[in-house]
Amino acid sequence: MQIAIGLFPGFTALDAIGPYQVFTSLPGAEVVLCAERPGIVADDNGLLRLEVEHTFADVVAPDVLVAPGGVITRRIAQDRGPIVDWIAAAHPHTTYTTSVCTGALLLGAAGLLEGLPATTHWFGYDHLRAQGALPTERRVVIEGKIATAAGVSAGIDLALTVVGELAGPEAAQAIQLGIEYDPEPPYDAGAPSKAAPEIRELVAGFLQQAEDQVMAAPA
Amino acid sequence: MQIAIGLFPGFTALDAIGPYQVFTSLPGAEVVLCAERPGIVADDNGLLRLEVEHTFADVVAPDVLVAPGGVITRRIAQDRGPIVDWIAAAHPHTTYTTSVCTGALLLGAAGLLEGLPATTHWFGYDHLRAQGALPTERRVVIEGKIATAAGVSAGIDLALTVVGELAGPEAAQAIQLGIEYDPEPPYDAGAPSKAAPEIRELVAGFLQQAEDQVMAAPA
C-alpha cells in the first residue's frame, strides 16, 4: 500500500506530519513524501526545511493521496499549481484521496469536490463553497473515496479513520495507542463554535492578513 | 522569547512537530531547530529528513527547551549523547525545560528528574523509574519548571499548556483555534488503560523489538 503526501513551499507542518506519523506506523505501508521537484521544501514558517527525494511524477498511482494545507493553497488553487494537476491525474487510481485543512482547496481546484460535502480549516469555508463544495463543520468528512479534514491538527483524526477503513479497527487502535493519542487539550477552544468571539476575531484577522499577503504576491 | 527544539537522528517526527506547530504560532516567539551538527537530521523512519541550520552550541540559553523522543533515546541516555550535555547546560537558563514522549529519558540522563513526578510514553515508564523519576500516567506533568508529556501526540497538549503559562490563556486559546485542535479520535484506545489488552500487547511487542535493536546496535 503506497501513501503519497504531496508537498509544496508554504505547506503547514502539522497538516502533513500528523498523517505522516499515523501512516508510517502502519505495517506494510510505503509512505512517500513528494513535491514538484526534488530538493528542499520549506513550510509556511520557512523554518521546517524538508529534503524531498521524490517528485509528483514518481508517484502516479498512490493508494492514498494526502494534500496538506497552508495559506498558500488559495493561491495555488487559483493558479492551478503543479500539485493540482498531480491530484487530478492520480485521483482515478486512488483508494482514498484526502486533504487536511486548506488542502481541500487543492482537491477543489482539481475538480473533485463539486456538489460534495467536505470540510477544511474553518476560515476557509467560503473559499471551499466558491469551488462548488458544500462545507460542513465536521472534523472528518468521508464522501465516497474523498476524505477531507478540518484545520491542521485534524489530519491525525483523518488518518486514523482512513487506516480503520483500509486495515481494520485493530490496526488503527494499535497506531492510536502507539502514538498515545488520548488528547487532553488544556482549553475547550479548538473549534469556531467553542472559542470566545474575541478570540475567533483575533485569529480570523491574523489569517485574513496572511491570506491578503499571499494573494497580493507576484506570481 | 526563544524556543529551542533539540533534534537527533532517530527522533519521532510528531514529538517535535506538535510543539513546533504550537510555538511557531505564538507571536514574538523565535523557534530554533537545533542539533549536534548542521545538516540533515532524519527521523526514526529515515524518511523525514530535516535540514537543520543551528547547532546546540548556537542555543545556549533558550527560554523554552523541547526534547522530543524516539526509541533511540534509551540508547542516547545510556551513552550520554551530545543532546544530554546540551540539556544539562541549558536547563539553568530556561523558563521551562520540556520533553515529549521518551524525550523524558534525555531529561533524566541530564539529571533533572531525580525524585520528581514525570511522564513519558507509557512503554517507557520503567526506564524513567530507573533514572530515579516517579512516572505517572498523566498526559502533561508540570513540576516546577520541568514539563513532561506522554507519548508522541501529547506534545501538542504540553505546548498549549506552556503557552498558557507563559503568554496567558487567550494566546493559547487563539493558537488552539488556529490549529483547530478540537480532537475527535475515531476510537477510544489512545491510553494503555483504555486500549484492549491484546492491542496493548501487540504494540508493546513491537516497541520492545525496536528497542532491542537499538540497544544491540554498535556504538
Side-chain angles (χ1 to χ4, degrees), chain A residues 96 142 160-169 172, chain B residues 187:
Chain A
Y96 280 102
I142 309 248
L160 286 171
T161 303
V162 168
V163 167
E165 294 293 324
L166 290 174
Chain B
Y187 309 98

Side-chain angles (χ1 to χ4, degrees), chain A residues 14 20-21 43 45 49-51 121-122 139 151 153 157 176-180 182 184 187 194, chain B residues 14 20-21 43 45 49-51 121-122 139 151 153 157 176-182 184 187 194:
Chain A
L14 186 56
Y20 169 89
Q21 192 68 55
D43 78 338
N45 296 301
R49 295 167 57 79
L50 298 190
E51 189 185 55
H121 191 287
W122 57 270
R139 188 139 179 98
S153 60
D157 297 320
Q176 184 183 1
L177 181 61
I179 65 169
E180 209 163 342
D182 184 32
E184 286 182 26
Y187 309 98
K194 295 179 176 179
Chain B
L14 186 55
Y20 169 88
Q21 193 67 57
D43 77 337
N45 296 302
R49 296 166 56 80
L50 297 190
E51 189 184 55
H121 191 287
W122 56 271
R139 188 140 178 96
S153 59
D157 297 319
Q176 183 183 1
L177 181 61
I179 65 169
E180 210 162 343
Y181 185 49
D182 185 32
E184 285 182 27
Y187 309 98
K194 295 179 176 178

Side-chain angles (χ1 to χ4, degrees), chain A residues 13 18-20 27 31 33 37 45 69 72 85 91 100 108 121 131 141 149 151 161 178 201 204 209 213:
Chain A
Y20 169 89
V31 175
L33 299 170
R37 282 183 286 266
N45 296 301
I72 192 79
D85 288 325
H91 176 66
V100 180
H121 191 287
Q131 292 180 327
V141 175
T161 303
E201 277 165 40
Q209 193 174 31
Q213 279 179 5

Side-chain angles (χ1 to χ4, degrees), chain B residues 165-203:
Chain B
E165 294 293 325
L166 290 174
E170 290 79 10
Q173 290 172 29
I175 293 173
Q176 183 183 1
L177 181 61
I179 65 169
E180 210 162 343
Y181 185 49
D182 185 32
E184 285 182 27
Y187 309 98
D188 189 17
S193 56
K194 295 179 176 178
E198 61 273 21
I199 290 188
R200 202 165 59 237
E201 278 165 39
L202 178 76
V203 177

Side-chain angles (χ1 to χ4, degrees), chain B residues 85-102:
Chain B
D85 288 326
W86 175 63
I87 293 168
H91 177 64
H93 307 286
T94 65
T95 306
Y96 280 102
T97 300
T98 79
S99 65
V100 180
C101 195
T102 54

